[in-house]
Amino acid sequence: MVNYTIPGMKKDTAETLSTLLQDRLNALSDLALTLKHVHWNVVGPDFIAVHLMLDPQVDAVRGMVDANG
């Protein structure tokens, strides 16, 4: 396991921050996957509007997960 340090931050604070950031990353990844699942499984009379609306949402969430992606 790799341990990262942040200059000027106490180890316990860094560990807490790391855990919180990892939790947010996991939540955003889950949200992106859920939105894409909905995108591909939407049905009904407003299918195309909802289908098209979800693409930018997925892209925005993916951008939060990976700024380079």
Side-chain angles (χ1 to χ4, degrees), residues 3-50:
N3 291 316
Y4 297 100
T5 59
I6 302 171
M9 186 177 287
K10 294 179 184 177
K11 183 178 178 183
D12 60 331
T13 302
E15 288 173 358
T16 300
L17 179 60
S18 176
T19 300
L20 290 171
L21 290 172
Q22 187 62 54
D23 289 346
R24 293 308 94 213
L25 178 61
N26 293 342
L28 286 169
S29 294
D30 286 346
L31 178 58
L33 290 169
T34 299
L35 287 169
K36 201 59 175 178
H37 176 76
V38 171
H39 169 87
W40 286 114
N41 292 286
V42 67
V43 295
D46 296 323
F47 160 79
I48 195 65
V50 174

Side-chain angles (χ1 to χ4, degrees), residues 46-64:
D46 296 323
F47 160 79
I48 195 65
V50 174
H51 186 79
L52 294 174
M53 176 195 70
L54 288 171
D55 269 335
Q57 302 300 319
V58 171
D59 291 342
V61 173
R62 284 181 177 166
M64 292 177 209

